[in-house]
Amino acid sequence: MEPPPLPLLSGACVACTLGMFATGLTDLRQMFRTRSVENIQFLPFLTTDVNNLSWLSYGCLKQDWTLITVNAIGVALQTLYILVYLYFSPEKRRVLLQSTALLGVLTLGFCYFNLLTPDVDVRLAHLGLFCSVFTISMYLSPLAALAKVIRTRSTRCLSFPLTVATFLASASWTLYGLQLNDLYIMVPNVPGIVTSILRLWLFWQFPPDQDKLYKPLQA
């Protein structure tokens, strides 16, 4: 069976990834509604912004407009989330320090990839490797939360829309990378498929409705 045509895969990558980014709008609405950042984590916004900026650089170097489009919008959205979080956060110093550290890392990365690595092919390979490792670490980071779900038999800490969006986006990018024969795009999205399937299995094993019935029995 032949893989889907490249334009179709490109459209699927854009649509599914933007759907994944849009799940952050729930946190954005909550921050505006409550005028606080209670129960909202800052680090995912920051790490996703770094990831988007890295892939945006890779897309620009590779002249891949699918990567450029998706990650340019991702950078804009994540930066908006960060600014709103900073505005409502009572711990502005901590947020600013983390954001400044991010800017420092990005500056060092820019100097390395653009000033110390003049060969374009080598730069593309090094940048692709960095993007791949960073993306894999992001997909594997929620494993502690999955262990908590199994321990507590509750999926309250998981987002079902985000899980579905992540699965579709990871599958789309894996096929896109396969079609382009680009291992840097294909390989890091495989863990996203695996962890998403695991989360979907947990939703099936411990459905939210069961969790609501289970808690009153414990009271």
Side-chain angles (χ1 to χ4, degrees):
M1 181 179 178
E2 294 185 359
L6 193 59
L8 181 61
L9 282 175
S10 178
C13 289
V14 173
C16 295
T17 309
L18 293 184
M20 186 172 66
F21 292 156
T23 58
L25 293 173
T26 302
D27 290 336
L28 190 67
R29 285 195 298 269
Q30 181 178 333
M31 286 188 283
F32 276 112
R33 186 178 68 253
T34 63
R35 303 191 67 80
S36 76
V37 294
E38 187 178 359
N39 298 323
I40 296 176
Q41 294 181 330
F42 176 67
L43 196 57
F45 295 149
L46 200 60
T47 54
T48 305
D49 210 9
V50 174
N51 194 47
N52 290 149
L53 284 166
S54 302
W55 281 111
L56 178 60
S57 300
Y58 182 79
C60 290
L61 193 60
K62 192 180 174 68
Q63 296 185 338
D64 186 315
W65 282 101
T66 302
L67 283 171
I68 293 172
T69 302
V70 166
N71 289 286
I73 297 174
V75 167
L77 283 174
Q78 299 304 323
T79 303
L80 173 63
Y81 300 155
I82 288 172
L83 291 174
V84 174
Y85 189 100
L86 175 63
Y87 180 78
F88 290 117
S89 175
E91 300 179 348
K92 289 182 171 54
R93 177 182 172 83
R94 177 180 62 83
V95 174
L96 285 172
L97 283 174
Q98 290 178 341
S99 301
T100 302
L102 162 66
L103 290 175
V105 170
L106 291 176
T107 301
L108 289 174
F110 177 83
C111 292
Y112 173 76
F113 289 117
N114 291 279
L115 301 179
L116 300 179
T117 314
D119 186 274
V120 176
D121 291 334
V122 174
R123 192 190 312 167
L124 190 66
H126 288 184
L127 184 56
L129 181 61
F130 172 81
C131 291
S132 297
V133 172
F134 197 89
T135 300
I136 291 172
S137 67
M138 284 187 62
Y139 279 137
L140 296 181
S141 60
L143 288 179
L146 300 187
K148 180 182 178 182
V149 169
I150 296 173
R151 188 175 64 254
T152 62
R153 304 178 66 86
S154 169
T155 53
R156 292 184 65 195
C157 63
L158 298 181
S159 167
F160 185 76
L162 179 59
T163 299
V164 173
T166 301
F167 172 76
L168 293 175
S170 300
S172 299
W173 283 112
T174 300
L175 292 174
Y176 184 75
L178 180 64
Q179 187 82 313
L180 293 179
N181 197 27
D182 189 326
L183 292 177
Y184 298 123
I185 296 176
M186 182 179 65
V187 172
N189 284 285
V190 174
I193 297 174
V194 174
T195 55
S196 296
I197 290 174
L198 180 56
R199 279 182 284 178
L200 289 170
W201 178 79
L202 289 173
F203 275 110
W204 177 68
Q205 285 283 44
F206 312 117
D209 290 341
Q210 172 185 299
D211 183 51
K212 291 176 184 176
L213 293 172
Y214 180 73
K215 290 188 74 63
L217 291 175
Q218 298 297 312

